[in-house]
Amino acid sequence: MEQHEVMSRLHQLALEQDRLTRQLMAGEQRFRGLARSVWRVQEEERKRLARELHDGLGQTLTALKHRLAALAPSDASRDALALAEQALADTRNLARLLRPAILDDLGLGPALNWLCRLTEQRTGWQVPLQLSGLDQRLAPELETLLFRVAQEALANAQKHAKASVVDISLLRTGQRLLLSVADNGAGFELDSALAAQGDGFGLRSMQDRVELFGGELVINTSPGSGTEIRVHLDI
């Protein structure tokens, strides 16, 4: 083969590689766009269910509680009233966990503060929260993403870590965001956990969601030394 034929062939291969690369990048963008659309639909469904629980079942249980409170006092009526109050409290908590109204109404900072206080009440842990550089609200999707990561990390710590302190911080520096959720619990072998669990304690789903927004999720852990989940995002 002559030299000019070799050069021509290499040029054609380079053009073909560029074309395939552009197709791959376009396919990845379409996939990310589709995945984000699915995620938005899921969040809207959570919001609808939370509203129905609060406005539907919640109002019914409130009416039932008032009816029971108006009955003549007896052991049976007091027991029924206590059950109604517990059911109402459980319904409201479930509605808030599905989609806390405070996240939409007041933003990520107040929502994280509510989540930390709720976790302290339920577990007896210390859950200090540090916020910095969040004078203005973030885009709604980013607020939802970071809230869900913090919520999932706290749920993991509650299920697996046997922690007593979980430090949460969210810092904005320029156009960079850093979320950190660090507990003083048992820690674990990350590779073994990811290999043994179908979803690695939910870690893979957290990673996938963060990557949809072009961010990075880093997990620092080892047995006996706690766990830190860090999310880096550009905004």
Side-chain angles (χ1 to χ4, degrees):
M1 183 178 291
E2 298 293 336
Q3 182 175 358
H4 73 279
E5 293 178 339
V6 172
M7 296 302 294
S8 175
R9 182 59 180 159
L10 289 175
H11 180 66
Q12 290 176 358
L13 288 173
L15 291 175
E16 182 67 9
Q17 184 179 24
D18 288 344
R19 186 183 67 80
L20 292 173
T21 300
R22 286 195 297 271
Q23 284 186 347
L24 182 62
M25 292 176 65
E28 183 178 349
Q29 288 177 351
R30 283 197 295 273
F31 170 76
R32 288 193 176 197
L34 178 61
R36 288 172 68 161
S37 296
V38 171
W39 188 66
R40 278 194 295 271
V41 169
Q42 289 175 335
E43 286 298 326
E44 286 300 319
E45 185 64 10
R46 280 171 169 262
K47 189 185 297 185
R48 185 186 67 78
L49 288 173
R51 189 168 52 245
E52 288 187 0
L53 279 173
H54 185 273
D55 297 341
L57 183 57
Q59 293 300 321
T60 301
L61 289 171
T62 299
L64 175 62
K65 190 184 77 168
H66 290 318
R67 292 282 185 91
L68 292 171
L71 294 177
S74 68
D75 289 344
S77 65
R78 280 190 286 272
D79 289 345
L81 179 59
L83 286 173
E85 289 175 339
Q86 185 60 54
L88 179 59
D90 291 344
T91 300
R92 287 174 172 168
N93 282 334
L94 179 57
R96 293 189 188 107
L97 289 173
L98 275 171
R99 180 75 188 187
I102 192 172
L103 179 60
D104 297 310
D105 296 340
L106 300 180
L108 182 58
L112 287 175
N113 189 57
W114 166 79
L115 183 63
C116 291
R117 302 291 80 77
L118 180 67
T119 304
E120 287 180 333
Q121 292 169 10
R122 288 184 163 185
T123 64
W125 299 347
Q126 299 174 48
V127 190
L129 172 66
Q130 180 188 0
L131 301 172
S132 178
L134 296 174
D135 300 329
Q136 296 181 339
R137 290 192 60 169
L138 304 172
E141 284 191 339
L142 286 182
E143 290 192 331
T144 299
L145 171 69
L146 293 168
F147 180 83
R148 293 298 183 207
V149 170
Q151 188 180 35
E152 185 72 27
L154 280 172
N156 277 345
Q158 192 170 351
K159 290 177 184 173
H160 308 292
K162 299 179 181 178
S164 60
V165 180
V166 182
D167 288 289
I168 299 181
S169 63
L170 178 59
L171 313 175
R172 176 176 178 173
T173 306
Q175 298 302 304
R176 294 279 289 169
L177 281 171
L178 170 60
L179 171 69
S180 170
V181 182
D183 69 61
N184 67 342
F188 56 92
E189 288 283 356
L190 180 59
D191 292 340
S192 299
L194 291 174
Q197 301 290 327
D199 190 28
F201 302 159
L203 299 174
R204 290 191 190 282
S205 64
M206 281 195 283
Q207 285 177 324
D208 291 343
R209 276 179 277 169
V210 170
E211 288 175 1
L212 279 179
F213 289 83
E216 180 186 22
L217 186 143
V218 179
I219 303 162
N220 297 312
T221 186
S222 62
S225 60
T227 300
E228 182 185 22
I229 293 175
R230 297 169 69 92
V231 174
H232 301 269
L233 272 173
D234 289 327
I235 57 176

